[in-house]
Amino acid sequence: FEGSMPMMGRKDIELEALKQMSKPKDERRLNGLNLIKNKEKVAMWEDNMGNAIVTIRGTDHRDSGDIIDNFLNFGGSKELKNTRRYLRAREFINEKLDNIDQTGRGSLKVLGYSLGGATATRLAQDYHFLPIKVYNPIISNSQMQKDLFKKLKEFNSNIEFFFVDEDPISVNL
C-alpha cells in the first residue's frame, strides 16, 4: 500500500484504515474515524454514525507468532481459528453486532491484508452476511482452503478479493 506515486483525488478511508495497521498501535490516527478498539493485530474504527470497520493487519516479520501463523496457513491447519488475529477479530465483530442489535444504529465491515486477509477470509465463513474486503491474502493450495472457498460460495458470502496477478502470496486465488 506504500507507493512512490502520490494518490490523486479523494483517499479511500477503508484503505487508509488498513494502512494504519502497519504502524505501532499508539501511532494509529485517521481523520474521519475514531479508533475505538486497538490491539496490535486487529483494530476497530468507527465514524460518528456508528458505522464500524474491523481492520486486520498482515504479517509482522519480527513476530515469531506471525511466522508460525503463516506456516499454519500454508499447511492448511485448522488451528488458524485459534490465532490471535482470528480470536480478537471475532471478539470485536461480536461486540459490534450486539451493539447494532441493541441500538439499531450503525453497520460493520471487515478488512484484512496478507495474513490478515487470510484471517478475514476465514471470518467470512462465520459472518457471510458481513461485507468483507480482502487484499493480497495468503492463500494456500490445501484441501482446507478449497473447502473454505466452497463454503463461501455456498453461503453466498459477501466477500471481495483484491490482489495483483504477479503477487506470489495470493497466487493461489
Side-chain angles (χ1 to χ4, degrees):
F1 303 120
E2 298 288 337
S4 60
M5 295 184 62
M7 289 184 63
M8 304 301 263
R10 193 175 78 102
K11 290 188 177 187
D12 184 312
I13 194 102
E14 293 175 356
L15 287 179
E16 292 300 315
L18 269 181
K19 285 171 36 174
Q20 290 293 312
M21 293 305 294
S22 64
K23 294 181 178 180
K25 68 180 193 171
D26 58 337
E27 295 178 19
R28 297 174 184 161
R29 311 255 184 301
L30 189 55
N31 287 336
L33 291 179
N34 302 308
L35 190 56
I36 60 171
K37 296 200 175 280
N38 190 19
K39 297 296 182 183
E40 199 63 40
K41 310 296 180 188
V42 183
M44 184 160 50
W45 307 78
E46 194 173 79
D47 67 15
N48 293 333
M49 303 290 289
N51 301 310
I53 302 171
V54 171
T55 51
I56 310 167
R57 74 161 283 145
T59 303
D60 178 351
H61 298 288
R62 299 166 304 209
D63 183 338
S64 61
D66 281 7
I67 304 303
I68 291 169
D69 290 350
N70 277 311
F71 281 116
L72 290 172
N73 184 57
F74 277 120
S77 172
K78 294 189 186 297
E79 284 300 307
L80 286 167
K81 286 195 170 188
N82 292 320
T83 64
R84 296 170 288 172
R85 278 175 182 76
Y86 184 85
L87 295 173
R88 184 68 69 194
R90 280 189 61 92
E91 174 188 326
F92 289 2
I93 290 167
N94 289 336
E95 286 178 20
K96 182 60 183 174
L97 289 175
D98 286 344
N99 177 268
I100 292 170
D101 284 345
Q102 291 172 10
T103 65
R105 183 175 175 264
S107 64
L108 178 62
K109 289 182 184 179
V110 178
L111 311 173
Y113 69 92
S114 190
L115 182 57
T119 303
T121 302
R122 280 182 191 70
L123 289 163
Q125 180 180 338
D126 300 329
Y127 302 98
H128 55 88
F129 53 91
L130 286 178
I132 296 177
K133 292 184 179 180
V134 175
Y135 296 84
N136 287 14
I138 296 176
I139 301 293
S140 67
N141 191 12
S142 66
Q143 188 59 47
M144 182 190 74
Q145 285 291 1
K146 291 174 185 173
D147 292 343
L148 172 62
F149 277 90
K150 184 177 179 183
K151 287 178 185 175
L152 293 176
K153 187 173 181 178
E154 286 173 13
F155 294 154
N156 197 25
S157 182
N158 192 6
I159 190 169
E160 294 179 85
F161 293 93
F162 301 90
F163 64 98
V164 178
D165 287 335
E166 295 81 19
D167 178 23
I169 300 299
S170 44
V171 68
N172 290 315
L173 275 173

